[in-house]
Short mmCIF file of all heavy atoms in Angstrom, two decimals:
data_model
loop_
_atom_site.label_atom_id
_atom_site.label_comp_id
_atom_site.label_asym_id
_atom_site.label_seq_id
_atom_site.Cartn_x
_atom_site.Cartn_y
_atom_site.Cartn_z
N MET B 1 -59.76 -2.45 28.27
CA MET B 1 -60.22 -3.44 27.33
C MET B 1 -59.86 -2.98 25.92
O MET B 1 -60.58 -2.24 25.27
CB MET B 1 -61.73 -3.60 27.46
CG MET B 1 -62.31 -4.62 26.57
SD MET B 1 -64.03 -4.86 27.05
CE MET B 1 -64.63 -5.61 25.61
N ASN B 2 -58.73 -3.40 25.43
CA ASN B 2 -58.27 -3.04 24.09
C ASN B 2 -58.45 -4.23 23.16
O ASN B 2 -58.11 -5.36 23.49
CB ASN B 2 -56.79 -2.65 24.12
CG ASN B 2 -56.57 -1.34 24.84
OD1 ASN B 2 -57.48 -0.53 24.91
ND2 ASN B 2 -55.39 -1.14 25.38
N LEU B 3 -59.00 -3.96 21.99
CA LEU B 3 -59.19 -4.98 20.97
C LEU B 3 -58.17 -4.76 19.88
O LEU B 3 -57.95 -3.63 19.43
CB LEU B 3 -60.60 -4.93 20.40
CG LEU B 3 -61.73 -5.22 21.39
CD1 LEU B 3 -63.07 -5.00 20.73
CD2 LEU B 3 -61.63 -6.63 21.93
N ASP B 4 -57.58 -5.83 19.41
CA ASP B 4 -56.54 -5.74 18.38
C ASP B 4 -57.13 -6.25 17.06
O ASP B 4 -57.43 -7.42 16.92
CB ASP B 4 -55.33 -6.57 18.79
CG ASP B 4 -54.17 -6.40 17.83
OD1 ASP B 4 -54.15 -5.39 17.11
OD2 ASP B 4 -53.29 -7.28 17.83
N PHE B 5 -57.31 -5.35 16.11
CA PHE B 5 -57.88 -5.70 14.81
C PHE B 5 -56.82 -5.75 13.71
O PHE B 5 -57.15 -5.65 12.54
CB PHE B 5 -58.94 -4.67 14.41
CG PHE B 5 -60.16 -4.70 15.29
CD1 PHE B 5 -60.50 -3.59 16.05
CD2 PHE B 5 -60.96 -5.81 15.36
CE1 PHE B 5 -61.63 -3.60 16.85
CE2 PHE B 5 -62.09 -5.83 16.16
CZ PHE B 5 -62.42 -4.73 16.92
N THR B 6 -55.57 -5.94 14.02
CA THR B 6 -54.52 -5.88 13.01
C THR B 6 -54.59 -7.05 12.03
O THR B 6 -54.28 -6.88 10.86
CB THR B 6 -53.14 -5.83 13.67
OG1 THR B 6 -53.00 -6.95 14.55
CG2 THR B 6 -52.95 -4.53 14.44
N GLY B 7 -54.98 -8.22 12.45
CA GLY B 7 -54.99 -9.38 11.57
C GLY B 7 -56.32 -9.62 10.87
O GLY B 7 -56.48 -10.60 10.15
N ILE B 8 -57.26 -8.72 11.02
CA ILE B 8 -58.60 -8.93 10.48
C ILE B 8 -58.76 -8.12 9.20
O ILE B 8 -58.46 -6.94 9.14
CB ILE B 8 -59.67 -8.52 11.50
CG1 ILE B 8 -59.58 -9.42 12.72
CG2 ILE B 8 -61.06 -8.60 10.89
CD1 ILE B 8 -60.52 -9.03 13.83
N THR B 9 -59.25 -8.80 8.16
CA THR B 9 -59.57 -8.11 6.90
C THR B 9 -61.03 -8.39 6.56
O THR B 9 -61.54 -9.49 6.79
CB THR B 9 -58.68 -8.61 5.74
OG1 THR B 9 -58.86 -10.01 5.59
CG2 THR B 9 -57.21 -8.30 6.02
N LEU B 10 -61.69 -7.39 6.02
CA LEU B 10 -63.08 -7.55 5.62
C LEU B 10 -63.16 -7.97 4.16
O LEU B 10 -62.32 -7.56 3.35
CB LEU B 10 -63.84 -6.24 5.82
CG LEU B 10 -63.97 -5.77 7.27
CD1 LEU B 10 -64.63 -4.40 7.31
CD2 LEU B 10 -64.77 -6.76 8.08
N PRO B 11 -64.16 -8.76 3.78
CA PRO B 11 -64.27 -9.21 2.40
C PRO B 11 -64.85 -8.14 1.47
O PRO B 11 -65.05 -8.40 0.29
CB PRO B 11 -65.21 -10.42 2.48
CG PRO B 11 -66.02 -10.17 3.71
CD PRO B 11 -65.12 -9.43 4.65
N PHE B 12 -65.16 -6.96 1.99
CA PHE B 12 -65.71 -5.90 1.16
C PHE B 12 -65.13 -4.57 1.62
O PHE B 12 -64.63 -4.44 2.73
CB PHE B 12 -67.24 -5.87 1.26
CG PHE B 12 -67.76 -5.77 2.67
CD1 PHE B 12 -67.92 -4.55 3.29
CD2 PHE B 12 -68.08 -6.92 3.37
CE1 PHE B 12 -68.38 -4.45 4.59
CE2 PHE B 12 -68.54 -6.84 4.66
CZ PHE B 12 -68.70 -5.60 5.28
N THR B 13 -65.21 -3.60 0.73
CA THR B 13 -64.72 -2.26 1.05
C THR B 13 -65.92 -1.33 1.24
O THR B 13 -67.07 -1.72 1.03
CB THR B 13 -63.82 -1.73 -0.08
OG1 THR B 13 -64.61 -1.61 -1.26
CG2 THR B 13 -62.64 -2.65 -0.33
N ALA B 14 -65.63 -0.09 1.61
CA ALA B 14 -66.69 0.88 1.78
C ALA B 14 -67.37 1.17 0.44
O ALA B 14 -68.58 1.39 0.37
CB ALA B 14 -66.13 2.16 2.39
N GLY B 15 -66.62 1.15 -0.64
CA GLY B 15 -67.20 1.35 -1.97
C GLY B 15 -68.15 0.24 -2.36
O GLY B 15 -69.19 0.49 -2.97
N ASP B 16 -67.79 -0.99 -2.01
CA ASP B 16 -68.69 -2.12 -2.27
C ASP B 16 -69.99 -1.99 -1.49
O ASP B 16 -71.08 -2.24 -2.02
CB ASP B 16 -68.02 -3.44 -1.89
CG ASP B 16 -66.83 -3.78 -2.75
OD1 ASP B 16 -66.77 -3.28 -3.89
OD2 ASP B 16 -65.96 -4.54 -2.27
N LEU B 17 -69.88 -1.57 -0.24
CA LEU B 17 -71.06 -1.39 0.59
C LEU B 17 -71.95 -0.28 0.04
O LEU B 17 -73.17 -0.42 -0.02
CB LEU B 17 -70.64 -1.08 2.02
CG LEU B 17 -71.72 -1.03 3.08
CD1 LEU B 17 -72.38 -2.39 3.23
CD2 LEU B 17 -71.13 -0.59 4.39
N LEU B 18 -71.34 0.81 -0.39
CA LEU B 18 -72.10 1.92 -0.94
C LEU B 18 -72.78 1.54 -2.25
O LEU B 18 -73.95 1.86 -2.47
CB LEU B 18 -71.19 3.13 -1.15
CG LEU B 18 -71.84 4.40 -1.63
CD1 LEU B 18 -72.82 4.93 -0.60
CD2 LEU B 18 -70.79 5.45 -1.94
N SER B 19 -72.08 0.86 -3.12
CA SER B 19 -72.67 0.48 -4.41
C SER B 19 -73.81 -0.54 -4.23
O SER B 19 -74.82 -0.47 -4.93
CB SER B 19 -71.60 -0.08 -5.35
OG SER B 19 -71.06 -1.27 -4.82
N SER B 20 -73.68 -1.45 -3.28
CA SER B 20 -74.78 -2.39 -3.04
C SER B 20 -75.98 -1.69 -2.42
O SER B 20 -77.13 -2.02 -2.72
CB SER B 20 -74.32 -3.55 -2.15
OG SER B 20 -73.96 -3.07 -0.87
N GLY B 21 -75.75 -0.68 -1.58
CA GLY B 21 -76.85 0.10 -1.02
C GLY B 21 -77.60 0.88 -2.08
O GLY B 21 -78.83 0.95 -2.07
N VAL B 22 -76.87 1.46 -3.00
CA VAL B 22 -77.49 2.21 -4.09
C VAL B 22 -78.27 1.27 -5.01
O VAL B 22 -79.36 1.59 -5.48
CB VAL B 22 -76.43 3.02 -4.86
CG1 VAL B 22 -77.00 3.59 -6.15
CG2 VAL B 22 -75.88 4.12 -3.98
N ALA B 23 -77.74 0.09 -5.26
CA ALA B 23 -78.44 -0.89 -6.10
C ALA B 23 -79.72 -1.36 -5.43
O ALA B 23 -80.76 -1.50 -6.08
CB ALA B 23 -77.53 -2.08 -6.38
N LEU B 24 -79.68 -1.58 -4.12
CA LEU B 24 -80.88 -1.97 -3.39
C LEU B 24 -81.92 -0.87 -3.41
O LEU B 24 -83.11 -1.12 -3.60
CB LEU B 24 -80.52 -2.33 -1.94
CG LEU B 24 -81.67 -2.75 -1.05
CD1 LEU B 24 -82.27 -4.06 -1.55
CD2 LEU B 24 -81.19 -2.89 0.38
N LEU B 25 -81.48 0.37 -3.27
CA LEU B 25 -82.40 1.50 -3.35
C LEU B 25 -83.00 1.62 -4.74
O LEU B 25 -84.16 1.99 -4.89
CB LEU B 25 -81.67 2.80 -2.97
CG LEU B 25 -82.52 4.04 -2.86
CD1 LEU B 25 -83.55 3.88 -1.76
CD2 LEU B 25 -81.65 5.24 -2.58
N GLY B 26 -82.25 1.29 -5.76
CA GLY B 26 -82.77 1.31 -7.13
C GLY B 26 -83.86 0.28 -7.34
O GLY B 26 -84.82 0.51 -8.08
N VAL B 27 -83.76 -0.86 -6.68
CA VAL B 27 -84.77 -1.90 -6.81
C VAL B 27 -86.00 -1.57 -5.98
O VAL B 27 -87.14 -1.69 -6.44
CB VAL B 27 -84.18 -3.27 -6.38
CG1 VAL B 27 -85.26 -4.34 -6.30
CG2 VAL B 27 -83.09 -3.69 -7.34
N VAL B 28 -85.81 -1.15 -4.76
CA VAL B 28 -86.90 -0.95 -3.81
C VAL B 28 -87.49 0.46 -3.91
O VAL B 28 -88.63 0.68 -3.52
CB VAL B 28 -86.40 -1.24 -2.38
CG1 VAL B 28 -87.49 -1.03 -1.34
CG2 VAL B 28 -85.86 -2.64 -2.28
N GLY B 29 -86.75 1.41 -4.45
CA GLY B 29 -87.15 2.80 -4.46
C GLY B 29 -88.47 3.06 -5.16
O GLY B 29 -89.27 3.89 -4.72
N ALA B 30 -88.72 2.37 -6.25
CA ALA B 30 -89.97 2.57 -6.99
C ALA B 30 -91.18 2.17 -6.14
O ALA B 30 -92.21 2.85 -6.15
CB ALA B 30 -89.94 1.77 -8.29
N PHE B 31 -91.05 1.09 -5.40
CA PHE B 31 -92.15 0.65 -4.54
C PHE B 31 -92.37 1.61 -3.38
O PHE B 31 -93.51 1.84 -2.96
CB PHE B 31 -91.89 -0.76 -4.03
CG PHE B 31 -91.87 -1.79 -5.13
CD1 PHE B 31 -90.68 -2.39 -5.50
CD2 PHE B 31 -93.03 -2.13 -5.81
CE1 PHE B 31 -90.65 -3.33 -6.51
CE2 PHE B 31 -93.01 -3.06 -6.82
CZ PHE B 31 -91.82 -3.66 -7.18
N VAL B 32 -91.30 2.16 -2.85
CA VAL B 32 -91.42 3.14 -1.76
C VAL B 32 -92.12 4.39 -2.27
O VAL B 32 -93.02 4.93 -1.61
CB VAL B 32 -90.03 3.46 -1.18
CG1 VAL B 32 -90.10 4.63 -0.22
CG2 VAL B 32 -89.44 2.24 -0.50
N LEU B 33 -91.74 4.87 -3.44
CA LEU B 33 -92.40 6.04 -4.02
C LEU B 33 -93.87 5.79 -4.32
O LEU B 33 -94.71 6.66 -4.12
CB LEU B 33 -91.67 6.48 -5.29
CG LEU B 33 -90.36 7.21 -5.09
CD1 LEU B 33 -89.71 7.49 -6.43
CD2 LEU B 33 -90.57 8.49 -4.32
N LEU B 34 -94.18 4.60 -4.79
CA LEU B 34 -95.58 4.25 -5.06
C LEU B 34 -96.39 4.25 -3.77
O LEU B 34 -97.52 4.77 -3.73
CB LEU B 34 -95.66 2.89 -5.75
CG LEU B 34 -97.04 2.43 -6.18
CD1 LEU B 34 -97.60 3.37 -7.23
CD2 LEU B 34 -96.97 1.01 -6.71
N GLY B 35 -95.85 3.70 -2.71
CA GLY B 35 -96.53 3.70 -1.43
C GLY B 35 -96.73 5.11 -0.89
O GLY B 35 -97.79 5.45 -0.37
N LEU B 36 -95.72 5.95 -1.03
CA LEU B 36 -95.85 7.34 -0.59
C LEU B 36 -96.88 8.09 -1.42
O LEU B 36 -97.59 8.96 -0.90
CB LEU B 36 -94.50 8.05 -0.66
CG LEU B 36 -93.50 7.69 0.43
CD1 LEU B 36 -92.16 8.34 0.14
CD2 LEU B 36 -94.02 8.11 1.78
N ALA B 37 -96.98 7.77 -2.69
CA ALA B 37 -97.97 8.43 -3.54
C ALA B 37 -99.39 8.11 -3.08
O ALA B 37 -100.25 8.98 -3.07
CB ALA B 37 -97.78 8.00 -4.99
N PHE B 38 -99.64 6.87 -2.65
CA PHE B 38 -100.97 6.52 -2.16
C PHE B 38 -101.28 7.21 -0.84
O PHE B 38 -102.44 7.44 -0.52
CB PHE B 38 -101.10 5.00 -1.99
CG PHE B 38 -101.37 4.28 -3.28
CD1 PHE B 38 -100.45 3.39 -3.80
CD2 PHE B 38 -102.55 4.48 -3.97
CE1 PHE B 38 -100.70 2.72 -4.98
CE2 PHE B 38 -102.81 3.83 -5.16
CZ PHE B 38 -101.87 2.95 -5.66
N LEU B 39 -100.26 7.54 -0.07
CA LEU B 39 -100.49 8.22 1.20
C LEU B 39 -100.63 9.73 1.03
O LEU B 39 -101.44 10.36 1.71
CB LEU B 39 -99.33 7.94 2.16
CG LEU B 39 -99.21 6.50 2.68
CD1 LEU B 39 -97.94 6.36 3.50
CD2 LEU B 39 -100.41 6.14 3.50
N VAL B 40 -99.87 10.32 0.14
CA VAL B 40 -99.80 11.78 0.04
C VAL B 40 -100.81 12.35 -0.95
O VAL B 40 -101.35 13.43 -0.73
CB VAL B 40 -98.36 12.22 -0.34
CG1 VAL B 40 -98.27 13.69 -0.60
CG2 VAL B 40 -97.40 11.83 0.77
N ALA B 41 -101.09 11.65 -2.03
CA ALA B 41 -101.95 12.19 -3.09
C ALA B 41 -103.35 12.54 -2.60
O ALA B 41 -103.84 13.63 -2.93
CB ALA B 41 -102.02 11.21 -4.26
N PRO B 42 -104.04 11.72 -1.83
CA PRO B 42 -105.38 12.14 -1.36
C PRO B 42 -105.35 13.39 -0.50
O PRO B 42 -106.24 14.24 -0.59
CB PRO B 42 -105.87 10.93 -0.56
CG PRO B 42 -105.10 9.78 -1.07
CD PRO B 42 -103.77 10.33 -1.46
N LYS B 43 -104.34 13.53 0.34
CA LYS B 43 -104.22 14.73 1.17
C LYS B 43 -103.97 15.96 0.31
O LYS B 43 -104.51 17.04 0.58
CB LYS B 43 -103.09 14.55 2.18
CG LYS B 43 -103.38 13.48 3.19
CD LYS B 43 -102.23 13.30 4.16
CE LYS B 43 -102.53 12.14 5.10
NZ LYS B 43 -101.44 11.90 6.04
N LEU B 44 -103.18 15.81 -0.73
CA LEU B 44 -102.89 16.92 -1.62
C LEU B 44 -104.14 17.33 -2.41
O LEU B 44 -104.42 18.52 -2.56
CB LEU B 44 -101.76 16.54 -2.58
CG LEU B 44 -101.21 17.63 -3.48
CD1 LEU B 44 -100.61 18.76 -2.65
CD2 LEU B 44 -100.19 17.07 -4.43
N PHE B 45 -104.90 16.36 -2.88
CA PHE B 45 -106.13 16.66 -3.60
C PHE B 45 -107.15 17.36 -2.69
O PHE B 45 -107.82 18.30 -3.10
CB PHE B 45 -106.76 15.40 -4.19
CG PHE B 45 -105.97 14.80 -5.31
CD1 PHE B 45 -105.93 13.42 -5.49
CD2 PHE B 45 -105.26 15.59 -6.19
CE1 PHE B 45 -105.21 12.86 -6.51
CE2 PHE B 45 -104.52 15.03 -7.23
CZ PHE B 45 -104.50 13.67 -7.39
N THR B 46 -107.25 16.92 -1.45
CA THR B 46 -108.15 17.56 -0.48
C THR B 46 -107.72 19.00 -0.23
O THR B 46 -108.55 19.91 -0.16
CB THR B 46 -108.17 16.77 0.83
OG1 THR B 46 -108.55 15.42 0.55
CG2 THR B 46 -109.14 17.37 1.82
N LEU B 47 -106.43 19.22 -0.10
CA LEU B 47 -105.92 20.57 0.13
C LEU B 47 -106.24 21.49 -1.05
O LEU B 47 -106.67 22.64 -0.85
CB LEU B 47 -104.40 20.52 0.35
CG LEU B 47 -103.70 21.84 0.56
CD1 LEU B 47 -104.08 22.42 1.92
CD2 LEU B 47 -102.20 21.66 0.46
N ILE B 48 -106.10 21.01 -2.26
CA ILE B 48 -106.39 21.81 -3.45
C ILE B 48 -107.88 22.12 -3.53
O ILE B 48 -108.28 23.25 -3.82
CB ILE B 48 -105.88 21.09 -4.71
CG1 ILE B 48 -104.35 21.05 -4.71
CG2 ILE B 48 -106.39 21.77 -5.97
CD1 ILE B 48 -103.75 20.18 -5.77
N ARG B 49 -108.73 21.11 -3.28
CA ARG B 49 -110.18 21.34 -3.31
C ARG B 49 -110.61 22.37 -2.26
O ARG B 49 -111.43 23.24 -2.54
CB ARG B 49 -110.93 20.03 -3.06
CG ARG B 49 -111.01 19.15 -4.26
CD ARG B 49 -111.92 17.98 -3.99
NE ARG B 49 -111.64 16.93 -4.94
CZ ARG B 49 -111.60 15.64 -4.65
NH1 ARG B 49 -111.84 15.24 -3.42
NH2 ARG B 49 -111.32 14.76 -5.57
N GLN B 50 -110.08 22.26 -1.06
CA GLN B 50 -110.43 23.21 -0.01
C GLN B 50 -109.96 24.61 -0.36
O GLN B 50 -110.64 25.59 -0.05
CB GLN B 50 -109.83 22.77 1.32
CG GLN B 50 -110.51 21.58 1.93
CD GLN B 50 -109.84 21.11 3.21
OE1 GLN B 50 -108.77 21.59 3.58
NE2 GLN B 50 -110.46 20.15 3.87
N ALA B 51 -108.83 24.74 -1.01
CA ALA B 51 -108.32 26.05 -1.39
C ALA B 51 -109.23 26.68 -2.44
O ALA B 51 -109.52 27.88 -2.38
CB ALA B 51 -106.90 25.94 -1.93
N PHE B 52 -109.70 25.90 -3.40
CA PHE B 52 -110.60 26.43 -4.42
C PHE B 52 -111.97 26.77 -3.83
O PHE B 52 -112.58 27.77 -4.20
CB PHE B 52 -110.76 25.47 -5.59
CG PHE B 52 -109.62 25.55 -6.58
CD1 PHE B 52 -108.83 24.44 -6.83
CD2 PHE B 52 -109.36 26.72 -7.26
CE1 PHE B 52 -107.78 24.51 -7.74
CE2 PHE B 52 -108.32 26.80 -8.17
CZ PHE B 52 -107.53 25.69 -8.41
N ASN B 53 -112.47 25.94 -2.94
CA ASN B 53 -113.78 26.21 -2.33
C ASN B 53 -113.73 27.44 -1.43
O ASN B 53 -114.67 28.24 -1.42
CB ASN B 53 -114.25 24.99 -1.52
CG ASN B 53 -114.66 23.86 -2.43
OD1 ASN B 53 -114.98 24.05 -3.60
ND2 ASN B 53 -114.64 22.65 -1.88
N ALA B 54 -112.66 27.60 -0.69
CA ALA B 54 -112.53 28.76 0.20
C ALA B 54 -112.35 30.04 -0.62
O ALA B 54 -112.89 31.08 -0.27
CB ALA B 54 -111.35 28.57 1.15
N GLY B 55 -111.63 29.96 -1.70
CA GLY B 55 -111.41 31.14 -2.53
C GLY B 55 -112.64 31.53 -3.33
O GLY B 55 -112.87 32.69 -3.61
N GLY B 56 -113.49 30.58 -3.68
CA GLY B 56 -114.69 30.87 -4.46
C GLY B 56 -115.75 31.59 -3.67
O GLY B 56 -116.54 32.36 -4.22
N GLY B 57 -115.79 31.39 -2.37
CA GLY B 57 -116.81 32.03 -1.55
C GLY B 57 -116.51 33.49 -1.24
O GLY B 57 -117.37 34.23 -0.80
N LYS B 58 -115.31 33.97 -1.49
CA LYS B 58 -114.92 35.33 -1.14
C LYS B 58 -115.15 36.33 -2.27
O LYS B 58 -114.92 37.50 -2.10
CB LYS B 58 -113.44 35.37 -0.73
CG LYS B 58 -113.17 34.64 0.56
CD LYS B 58 -111.72 34.74 0.94
CE LYS B 58 -111.45 33.99 2.23
NZ LYS B 58 -110.04 34.03 2.61
N ARG B 59 -115.58 35.88 -3.42
CA ARG B 59 -115.80 36.81 -4.55
C ARG B 59 -117.03 37.65 -4.33
O ARG B 59 -118.03 37.19 -3.80
CB ARG B 59 -115.95 36.02 -5.85
CG ARG B 59 -114.64 35.38 -6.28
CD ARG B 59 -114.81 34.74 -7.64
NE ARG B 59 -113.56 34.09 -8.02
CZ ARG B 59 -113.42 33.40 -9.11
NH1 ARG B 59 -114.44 33.26 -9.94
NH2 ARG B 59 -112.27 32.85 -9.40
N ALA B 60 -116.94 38.86 -4.79
CA ALA B 60 -118.08 39.79 -4.60
C ALA B 60 -118.99 39.81 -5.80
O ALA B 60 -118.69 39.54 -6.88
CB ALA B 60 -117.56 41.19 -4.32
#
């Protein structure tokens, strides 16, 4: 089963595809980072609080 693609041309190049992907990431990227901040920040704050509480109990 051989396919012959000699007469087929695409309306875009790899550079066009890459530049449109980067542009889409530029538009959507801020919202993705904001969503990740809401997921990660509470866990990070809890980790910092636990580290300070655990370290405070070991002082002589």
